[in-house]
Amino acid sequence: MVHLYPLKRGLLGTALALAAALTAQAQSTYPAPDSVRGPVPPAVLLKVGLRATHVSYSGSGQAWSLVVPLSLGAEYRLAPRFGFYGQLEADLQTSRTATAARRRSPQAVAVPSAALGVGLRYYYNQPRRGEPLRNANLYGSYLALEGNLERNAVVGRFVTQSRRQTAAGLTPGLYAYWGTQHRLRRALLYDVSAGLGLQAPTYYNFESIAPAHYNLAAQVNLRLYWSHGFYAR
């Protein structure tokens, strides 16, 4: 009687070796999820949009006023988790009033407030350099420290020796924010942040206004942007 055990053992060994070879080839073709490199944030991100929390409108039969808050921003990614950014924002106010003769006066455009800020963001939910990116989120939640300078027009006009002068104040501040920034579509993203800060005394351009003091301040911001990124080669 012929024994088939050696033949069976040989066929089993061949099948196991073939299976191991196919598994190794599949792993080389389709890497494990932890080793997949996802999309990386752009080295430079430019943003143009609106600070939605500052949009306002007021009107009546005699007058109306509309404030459109423009926001320009740029962010440079120092590392996967750190970004240096700057932003310039201005509240553009357009208004119109009716005269006693029921004729409309020319439409006036003013900038009641503007702000310039620079800061550093830490995206704490992003992988460090060399670690795999396990999701397609290019931005995400962050902590930020920002220094800014706000300009605000003061209600009222003051007469100098040569002309009427509109008083304005410049207020430096330092803020700490928690926020989150995410992409809505290919070029659209939103940025929501909230934080506390310390404002220095306001500097006024008119001597009769008494200087202010240090103040605690809070901010909540919602910004909607069109963005464009530049990637490092």
Side-chain angles (χ1 to χ4, degrees):
M1 182 177 180
V2 179
H3 295 284
L4 299 179
Y5 294 107
L7 180 60
K8 292 180 180 180
R9 188 176 301 172
L11 292 176
L12 180 60
T14 302
L16 292 176
L18 181 59
L22 292 176
T23 302
Q25 182 179 2
Q27 290 180 349
S28 62
T29 304
Y30 303 100
D34 289 344
S35 65
V36 173
R37 296 295 300 178
V40 296
V44 177
L45 181 67
L46 301 181
K47 302 180 290 185
V48 179
L50 298 174
R51 183 164 50 165
T53 46
H54 278 214
V55 175
S56 65
Y57 173 81
S58 61
S60 64
Q62 298 296 321
W64 60 265
S65 176
L66 174 65
V67 175
V68 179
L70 299 181
S71 180
L72 306 176
E75 182 175 348
Y76 175 68
R77 191 62 67 99
L78 300 171
R81 289 193 174 190
F82 287 94
F84 175 79
Y85 70 95
Q87 59 191 22
L88 174 63
E89 297 178 312
D91 293 340
L92 302 182
Q93 176 179 293
T94 177
S95 60
R96 178 172 287 176
T97 58
T99 64
R102 298 184 180 276
R103 294 182 178 179
R104 296 287 181 177
S105 63
Q107 183 170 312
V109 178
V111 183
S113 64
L116 174 65
V118 293
L120 183 67
R121 286 183 176 183
Y122 172 66
Y123 291 92
Y124 55 84
N125 61 343
Q126 295 297 299
R128 295 184 176 87
R129 188 182 300 276
E131 293 181 350
L133 186 64
R134 300 179 181 179
N135 55 59
N137 183 12
L138 302 184
Y139 308 102
S141 301
Y142 62 83
L143 300 174
L145 185 64
E146 177 186 313
N148 60 28
L149 182 64
E150 297 183 4
R151 175 196 176 277
N152 292 282
V154 179
V155 177
R157 300 180 70 86
F158 300 87
V159 180
T160 63
Q161 294 180 355
S162 59
R163 59 185 176 84
R164 289 182 177 271
Q165 181 179 356
T166 300
L170 295 176
T171 307
L174 182 65
Y175 287 84
Y177 291 104
W178 174 88
T180 183
Q181 180 173 255
H182 294 277
R183 189 176 297 281
L184 291 172
R185 291 181 179 273
R186 294 182 58 184
L188 298 178
L189 58 85
Y190 70 89
D191 188 342
V192 181
S193 63
L196 297 174
L198 180 65
Q199 290 183 334
T202 302
Y203 169 78
Y204 293 100
N205 65 345
F206 200 79
E207 295 179 356
S208 64
I209 300 179
H213 304 282
Y214 284 91
N215 293 310
L216 291 176
Q219 284 194 12
V220 176
N221 299 299
L222 169 59
R223 297 177 175 94
L224 303 175
Y225 286 119
W226 176 88
S227 64
H228 182 73
F230 297 90
Y231 293 84
R233 295 182 178 180

